[in-house]
Amino acid sequence: MHRRDVLRSAALASMAAAVLAVPLVNAPRGGAPELDIEALLFDPQAPTGGNPKGDVTIVAFFDYNCGYCRKSAPALARLISEDRGIRIVYKDWPILAESSVVAAQLALAANYQGKYTLAHTTLMGLKGSLTAERMSAALEKAGIDRKRLAADLGSHAHEIGDLLKRNNELAQALGLPGTPVYLVGPYKVAAALDYQGFRDVVADARARAKDK
């Protein structure tokens, strides 16, 4: 088995053990959707960052209108830049406002330019009302091709919509109470974290992996 396959299997096993051990909350009537661990960690349409072969995977559920998400974003970005052993999976989960949906669509459309991380950082840094025009202008100023962004929004609308639907189903299956939520190795953190908080939970995840 190749090292990449070993890491993938280890990540799946670790995450499965974690989420299955956590009781569901706020489950919809009729029961929550079945959790797909493969989709949670390796959805081919979900943007990723950091080291694809990292020993710790962070799955981040967030909303661009979430103040706590914005507060934690710089600390998480710093962690990823400094810790070369982290792989991050971005799960856009727009639940707070209609503008949250527009923001998520814009960020995911930027991924077709290979600039999702830039779009994510830019949108997380915006304060105040998130209008479509303001967000588009900010992305253009950051270096994202606005015409191509609009074209990709149209031509990939179906794929983007399906991805957001899958993210919502995963959040429901996990019983997430809101944003932000960070799945860090075997740990589920439903709270804003500062830089040291992220470092601590990553260290705990690594220590737990060594103990097995």
Side-chain angles (χ1 to χ4, degrees), residues 63-130:
D63 183 307
Y64 290 108
N65 274 302
C66 168
Y68 295 108
C69 300
R70 294 177 184 175
K71 184 177 180 180
S72 290
L76 180 56
R78 177 186 170 189
L79 180 77
I80 295 167
S81 68
E82 294 182 357
D83 188 328
R84 301 301 181 181
I86 291 176
R87 170 180 178 263
I88 183 167
V89 182
Y90 296 98
K91 296 293 186 182
D92 290 81
W93 189 30
I95 56 174
L96 297 178
E98 183 61 33
S99 60
S100 300
V101 177
V102 176
Q105 291 170 335
L106 287 169
L108 293 170
N111 197 35
Y112 292 95
Q113 295 184 43
K115 295 185 177 181
Y116 175 85
T117 302
L118 177 60
H120 176 79
T121 302
T122 300
L123 293 175
M124 278 295 179
L126 288 178
K127 297 179 181 179
S129 178
L130 297 183

Side-chain angles (χ1 to χ4, degrees), residues 35-55:
L35 180 62
D36 185 340
I37 300 294
E38 179 75 22
L40 180 68
L41 295 175
F42 299 106
D43 187 322
Q45 297 300 317
T48 60
N51 182 356
K53 297 181 180 180
D55 63 319

